[in-house]
Amino acid sequence: MELTTETEELEKKEIARRYRALLKVSNNVKTRKDKARVRKAFDLALEAHKDMRRKSGEPYIYHPIEVARIVAEEIGLGTTSIICALLHDTVEDTDLTLDDVERMFGPKERVIIDGLTKISGVVDFTASMQAENFRKILLTLSDDVRVILIKLADRLHNMRTLDSMPRNKQLKIASETVFLFAPLAHRLGLYAIKTELEDLALKYTEPDVYEEISSKLKKTKAVRTRFVNRFSLPIQEELARQGVEFEMKARTKSIYSIFNKMRKKNIPFEEIYDVFAIRIIIDAKPEKEKAECWNAYSVVTDFYQPNPDRLRDWLSTPKANGYESLHTTVMSPGGRWVEVQIRSKRMDEIAEKGYAAHWKYKEGSSENNFDNWINKIRDLLENPEENAIEFIDDFKLNLFAEEIFIFTPKGEIKNLPKGASALDFAFEIHTEVGAHCMGAKVNTKLVPLSTELKSGDQVEIITSKKQKPNESWLDYVITGKAKSKIKASLREDKKRLAEEGEKKFGKWLKKHEIRKTQHNIKELQTLFRQPSPLEMYYKFEINQIPLKKVEQLEIIKGKIVGKVQETKEVNEIQERLKQKNPAEEMLVIGEEMDHFEYKLAPCCNPIPGDEVFGFITINEGIKIHKTNCPNAIQLMSHYAYRIVKARWTSQQKIAFLAGIKVTGIDDVGLVNNITRLISGELNVNMRSISFDSEDGVFDGTIMVYVHDTKHLTRLIDKLKSVDGVINVSRIEG
Ligand code: MN
C-alpha cells in the first residue's frame, strides 16, 4: 500500500506520542544513563521494524512500545525489562543479532532476548507441541523470570488486538492463552493480567456467552452500586471515626470466572450470589498492617454476622504466589452473603501486579515463597525422562491446585496442593524422608501414609530404614515432586531386581541344561511372552514367570530346537505364505482372502497405496497395519518374528474406509456443496458425515469408501477447491 506523506507524518507523530506515554509511566527509569539506554533501544527497534506493519495495518513499532508500556506500568518492571520489551521481536524478525544486542546493551539483555526468541509466538495446535512449548517456557524460568513476564505482556497485547486476526488464528491464540498463559500469570501472582487474558480469550471462543454475561453485568450495575453503598456506609463511618486511612470499593468478578461458575454448577447468571466482593484497602505502615487489617475485620463483623466457615487468613500464611489478604463472608441485612476482602495497600499491589511489583519492597517476607516456587519447578525439570505431556499434566495439577498449609513438628509451614497426602508431605520435607516413610502422626494421632491432609494439620513423619517406595505409592500422591521421585526409585528398583534375577536365571538355565546364548534367550522370551530380557529377569526375580512351560521345549545339547506352541502357529502361517507365493513370500491383500484370515487394523485404517505389513495375532489371524501406525514400532520391536510382509493387489475391486477432516468458514450451502462433490461428481460412497459449526467456523469429519490412496488424494484435492474450505486432511490413527 502506498502511503501519502501526510499519513506518514501523522504516523510519525503518533509514534512519538506513544513513546512519550511509555516514558511517562516508566517510574523505575530514573537516571539519565537509563533514560539514554531506553531511547537507544527505542531508536533501534524503530529502525529495525521500519518497513513492517501489523495485521491491522498499523506500524509494527506500536506493538513493542505497547508491550514495553505493559511491562513498565502494569507489571512494574524496570529499565532492563523495558529495553528487552522494545527489542523483543527484533532478533526473530529482523537482521539484528544477539551479538548486536549484547554489544549495545549488555549480557543480561542478551540472555533475556534470547529466551524470548526461543519461545515461539504461536505454537502448532497439537497437544504435544503445546506441551513442549510450555516446557520451554518453564525452562527459561530458571534463566530469568523477566523472560516470562515480558512474554506475558506480549501475549496480553496480542490478545487486546486480536480483532484483526482471521477467525481460525483467533481461536488458536485464544485457546492457547487459556491453556498456558493465564495459568502462568496466575502462578506468578499477576492477577489483573490473568483475569484480562481469560476474559479476552472467552470473548473470542464463546462470543455469545461473553456478550450475555457482560450485558447482564451492565444492566445490574445500578442495583449493585446502591446495595454496595448502603452496605459500606456504616463501616466507612466507623473506620473514618477511628482515623484509619483507607479506600473501599466493590470488585466485580471477572466474566470468565462467572462463566466458569455458571458452567460448573450449571446455574444461570441470576443465581450467582458472589458476583462481586467488597474490598477494604488500608494505607498502613508495614509493621502495623496486620493489626490494622484485623481491626477492620472487627469493625465489619460488628455490623454484620460473619460465616465462621468462610474466614480465610492469608495474612499469617500467604499463598505460594505471594497473595496476602484477609477474607470473610458476612450476612447483609437483605439476607444475602457478601464477601469482604481486607488488605493493605502493599498487599493489594502484590495481588494485582504480582511479585514484580513486590520486588520494590525488599523487606517483604514472602520473597522466599517465590524462590520456593522456582525451586519446585527446577525439581520437576530435573527429571528429563518423563515425556513432555506427562510432565505438563503433573505440573498443571500443581499450577491450578488450591493450597493447604501444613505444619512441621517444629512449627514450620509448608504449602501443599489441596488433596495432598502424608506421603506428599514427607517428600516435600526431603526425598529421603519420603522414600522411607512408614506412616505419620497427624495432630499426634497415628495414621497411614495415604491419609489426605487438611489445612492447619501438624504432621510428623515416621520413617524406617527398611521402608522403600512401591508401585501403590503412586496412587497416594498428587504432587509432581513425590510422583517423579517415586517413579525414579521404582525404575532403580526394577533395574536392581533384574540384575539379581539374571544371576538366578543363569543358575536355573544350568539346572535345565540350557546354554545362555542369544538364540536361547530369544526363544525363552517368546515362550514366556516377555518383551525384553531385562523384563524377563525382573519377572523371574519376583516369581512371575510360569516356569513350568519349560517342559514344552525340546533341548538338544543345550540348544532350544523345538518351537513353542505360539511360534508354531506363526511358523505355519509363514510356511503357507511361502507355498502360496514362493517368489515374494508375502501376503497380497485382496487376493488371498480365502487362504488367510486377515483384517485391516482399526487403529490406522490402511487403504491400498499405503505402505503396510501384516502382524500375526494370537486369535484373530493376520492384522494389516500401516508402517507408520503408532502401534507398528512397538509391534516390530517386540515381536519381529510375527511380522509378515504384505502388499496390495493391483486389482481394485474393493472399497476401503478412510476418514477425512475438513475445516473452514461456514457458509450457506457449504455442506451441500461438499456432499454433492463427494457423491455426485466423484462418485464416492460416503458412510457418514458430521459437522460441528460454531460461530461461522466448521469442523467436519467425513468417512468415505475409496479404492486407494490415489483416489483419496484426488478427493482431498477436490475438496480443497470448494469455496470456504480452509484445510482438508486424512485422519491418521
Ligand atoms: Mn511480540
Side-chain angles (χ1 to χ4, degrees):
M1 178 174 55
E2 278 292 315
L3 284 173
T4 63
T5 40
E6 198 183 338
T7 43
E8 246 171 62
E9 273 314 306
L10 281 175
E11 275 178 5
K12 258 189 197 157
K13 272 190 188 153
E14 178 61 16
I15 292 168
R17 193 192 63 77
R18 285 177 188 234
Y19 178 64
R20 278 197 307 276
L22 164 66
L23 291 181
K24 212 171 162 196
V25 297
S26 302
N27 298 324
N28 294 334
V29 182
K30 290 189 181 106
T31 64
R32 269 177 62 194
K33 199 177 140 220
D34 279 355
K35 281 178 186 154
R37 276 158 55 79
V38 170
R39 177 80 214 188
K40 196 159 104 185
F42 168 67
D43 288 339
L44 192 60
L46 187 61
E47 178 59 27
H49 293 300
K50 73 171 185 289
D51 297 324
M52 296 167 63
R53 287 189 175 266
R54 302 202 85 209
K55 270 265 153 55
S56 60
E58 292 180 328
Y60 195 87
I61 190 71
Y62 287 5
H63 170 62
I65 295 176
E66 196 52 31
V67 173
R69 197 196 53 69
I70 294 170
V71 158
E73 187 178 16
E74 297 178 45
I75 311 183
L77 296 173
T79 309
T80 305
S81 306
I82 293 169
I83 289 171
C84 292
L86 283 168
L87 297 175
H88 82 271
D89 278 334
T90 54
V91 172
E92 195 172 352
D93 299 342
T94 75
D95 297 334
L96 205 75
T97 65
L98 286 172
D99 289 335
D100 295 335
V101 172
E102 176 160 6
R103 194 164 30 78
M104 286 188 263
F105 296 96
K108 263 270 153 231
E109 285 78 0
R110 183 201 178 105
V111 169
I112 295 173
I113 304 252
D114 188 29
L116 285 165
T117 310
K118 269 185 212 144
I119 311 166
S120 67
V122 178
V123 291
D124 248 316
F125 205 40
T126 65
S128 65
M129 290 281 278
Q130 273 190 331
E132 204 41 57
N133 203 36
F134 198 25
R135 191 185 170 101
K136 268 190 214 148
I137 289 179
L138 295 170
L139 280 166
T140 54
L141 259 182
S142 34
D143 297 344
D144 194 312
V145 73
R146 283 175 290 193
V147 174
I148 306 296
L149 297 171
I150 296 167
K151 199 76 210 171
L152 281 168
D154 184 27
R155 176 52 59 117
L156 181 58
H157 185 240
N158 286 335
M159 286 299 291
R160 282 176 182 170
T161 52
L162 205 55
D163 255 338
S164 45
M165 282 287 178
R167 180 76 182 132
N168 61 334
K169 278 244 169 104
Q170 285 177 346
L171 287 175
K172 195 161 157 174
I173 295 172
S175 51
E176 193 188 59
T177 298
V178 173
F179 177 84
L180 212 145
F181 289 94
L184 254 185
H186 176 66
R187 206 62 179 93
L188 287 164
L190 300 159
Y191 184 74
I193 289 181
K194 172 218 167 212
T195 307
E196 193 181 341
L197 285 176
E198 285 173 341
D199 277 2
L200 284 168
L202 187 68
K203 188 173 153 192
Y204 289 98
T205 53
E206 308 261 0
D208 294 345
V209 187
Y210 180 89
E211 248 335 292
E212 186 205 321
I213 297 174
S214 74
S215 87
K216 280 187 175 162
L217 276 175
K218 260 178 230 145
K219 262 189 233 150
T220 50
K221 193 166 180 244
V223 179
R224 218 162 35 239
T225 309
R226 259 201 313 281
F227 176 87
V228 167
N229 287 344
R230 215 176 322 131
F231 179 90
S232 306
L233 194 64
I235 302 170
Q236 278 171 326
E237 281 175 352
E238 177 57 23
L239 287 175
R241 200 190 57 76
Q242 293 181 7
V244 177
E245 294 275 340
F246 73 98
E247 192 193 337
M248 204 163 165
K249 55 187 177 191
R251 289 291 302 213
T252 314
K253 245 195 171 97
S254 77
I255 295 179
Y256 182 81
S257 59
I258 292 172
F259 160 74
N260 244 346
K261 202 155 202 177
M262 284 165 61
R263 198 178 45 178
K264 236 187 191 155
K265 302 201 163 167
N266 200 15
I267 50 175
F269 176 87
E270 288 71 24
E271 280 171 38
I272 294 179
Y273 76 94
D274 54 352
V275 161
F276 68 94
I278 304 261
R279 190 173 296 168
I280 304 174
I281 300 160
I282 298 166
D283 198 355
K285 290 201 180 90
E287 65 272 18
K288 284 232 174 114
E289 54 184 4
K290 217 166 135 184
E292 294 269 8
C293 287
W294 282 111
N295 174 59
Y297 172 82
S298 151
V299 170
V300 171
T301 50
D302 275 348
F303 292 105
Y304 306 110
Q305 188 64 37
N307 180 338
D309 294 335
R310 301 286 300 269
L311 178 65
R312 299 284 178 274
D313 171 18
W314 287 301
L315 295 177
S316 324
T317 47
K319 288 192 190 181
N321 67 7
Y323 186 81
E324 293 172 70
S325 193
L326 183 62
H327 293 191
T328 178
T329 299
V330 298
M331 183 55 84
S332 70
R336 144 175 200 187
W337 291 110
V338 176
E339 182 176 302
V340 183
Q341 308 172 345
I342 305 165
R343 56 174 82 153
S344 72
K345 233 175 150 171
R346 177 190 67 84
M347 297 170 188
D348 193 52
E349 186 152 52
I350 293 174
E352 295 286 325
K353 290 190 186 174
Y355 269 100
H358 181 59
W359 288 340
K360 282 184 270 178
Y361 306 93
K362 273 287 172 212
E363 70 282 359
S365 63
S366 354
E367 210 151 329
N368 288 331
N369 277 331
F370 186 72
D371 288 340
N372 282 343
W373 183 62
I374 298 274
N375 282 337
K376 268 185 208 165
I377 291 169
R378 286 206 186 107
D379 270 356
L380 277 173
L381 290 172
E382 259 173 29
N383 208 339
E385 281 177 61
E386 273 181 88
N387 76 48
I389 292 192
E390 201 177 323
F391 167 82
I392 297 309
D393 279 351
D394 280 358
F395 189 80
K396 276 187 74 136
L397 199 74
N398 292 334
L399 265 184
F400 285 117
E402 269 183 70
E403 289 168 10
I404 55 172
F405 304 98
I406 306 298
F407 294 93
T408 68
K410 284 180 186 156
E412 228 183 292
I413 290 181
K414 299 269 177 199
N415 295 36
L416 284 170
K418 198 172 164 192
S421 65
L423 191 55
D424 280 305
F425 179 71
F427 276 101
E428 184 61 34
I429 293 176
H430 196 278
T431 308
E432 285 303 304
V433 176
H436 297 293
C437 179
M438 288 286 292
K441 277 185 181 169
V442 172
N443 307 323
T444 72
K445 218 180 105 202
L446 198 64
V447 299
L449 46 76
S450 58
T451 307
E452 189 178 323
L453 301 176
K454 289 193 305 295
S455 211
D457 281 345
Q458 187 167 43
V459 182
E460 183 187 347
I461 297 297
I462 299 159
T463 59
S464 153
K465 282 222 169 77
K466 284 184 190 148
Q467 177 73 316
K468 61 182 180 66
N470 62 53
E471 201 89 31
S472 66
W473 280 23
L474 287 171
D475 300 332
Y476 305 152
V477 297
I478 63 162
T479 58
K481 185 178 182 179
K483 266 195 191 150
S484 68
K485 297 288 181 195
I486 293 168
K487 278 183 199 162
S489 160
L490 290 175
R491 269 197 304 270
E492 265 308 300
D493 258 14
K494 196 165 176 179
K495 232 176 87 190
R496 203 176 38 72
L497 287 169
E499 277 164 22
E500 289 294 310
E502 190 175 358
K503 279 183 218 153
K504 289 184 196 155
F505 195 71
K507 283 182 196 156
W508 179 85
L509 286 175
K510 249 189 197 143
K511 198 176 116 200
H512 291 272
E513 297 177 343
I514 301 170
R515 272 186 291 135
K516 196 182 173 189
T517 60
Q518 238 182 20
H519 164 84
N520 283 351
I521 295 295
K522 264 232 131 56
E523 290 295 322
L524 288 165
Q525 245 176 270
T526 312
L527 177 71
F528 299 136
R529 291 193 187 173
Q530 295 302 316
S532 70
L534 186 95
E535 194 67 29
M536 182 162 68
Y537 301 145
Y538 166 69
K539 290 274 168 60
F540 185 87
E541 180 65 20
I542 60 172
N543 296 322
Q544 279 185 10
I545 297 270
L547 293 171
K548 252 187 118 41
K549 270 190 168 185
V550 78
E551 290 162 10
Q552 299 172 17
L553 292 179
E554 197 185 331
I555 303 153
I556 297 175
K557 285 186 186 162
K559 188 181 176 188
I560 299 171
V561 286
K563 298 272 177 183
V564 231
Q565 192 54 36
E566 181 190 322
T567 332
K568 266 185 194 151
E569 278 166 30
V570 173
N571 273 7
E572 207 183 279
I573 292 181
Q574 305 266 32
E575 202 53 43
R576 271 166 56 210
L577 273 173
K578 211 186 254 178
Q579 279 168 16
K580 182 93 187 92
N581 202 349
E584 309 184 282
E585 219 179 295
M586 63 162 64
L587 180 72
V588 181
I589 308 157
E591 277 179 1
E592 283 144 57
M593 280 284 201
D594 319 330
H595 304 276
F596 299 98
E597 191 194 341
Y598 69 81
K599 276 194 195 109
L600 302 178
C603 54
C604 54
N605 272 326
I607 62 172
D610 285 332
E611 241 187 275
V612 289
F613 68 93
F615 180 75
I616 304 169
T617 65
I618 303 295
N619 296 317
E620 296 174 278
I622 303 171
K623 277 230 169 108
I624 311 295
H625 290 266
K626 273 159 68 177
T627 44
N628 63 358
C629 167
N631 294 327
I633 299 160
Q634 218 192 341
L635 294 175
M636 289 196 209
S637 61
H638 287 172
Y639 305 102
Y641 67 97
R642 280 158 66 180
I643 303 288
V644 294
K645 281 191 256 173
R647 69 167 171 81
W648 303 92
T649 170
S650 41
Q651 294 142 288
Q652 299 173 354
K653 39 190 175 188
I654 333 155
F656 296 86
L657 194 61
I660 300 176
K661 201 157 187 57
V662 187
T663 54
I665 305 299
D666 205 354
D667 194 327
V668 192
L670 189 123
V671 176
N672 234 336
N673 288 343
I674 290 179
T675 48
R676 197 177 319 125
L677 182 90
I678 294 174
S679 51
E681 210 175 308
L682 290 165
N683 205 13
V684 173
N685 276 327
M686 207 165 26
R687 191 179 76 168
S688 66
I689 180 165
S690 67
F691 276 93
D692 265 342
S693 179
E694 223 182 308
D695 307 315
V697 176
F698 76 79
D699 240 332
T701 304
I702 312 168
M703 300 302 289
V704 287
Y705 287 103
V706 292
H707 297 305
D708 54 22
T709 45
K710 257 193 226 149
H711 193 188
L712 183 66
T713 311
R714 208 163 55 230
L715 176 59
I716 287 176
D717 285 345
K718 280 266 182 183
L719 284 173
K720 276 182 184 159
S721 66
V722 174
D723 254 359
V725 168
I726 290 172
N727 193 32
V728 186
S729 59
R730 178 174 174 191
I731 299 170
E732 307 274 352

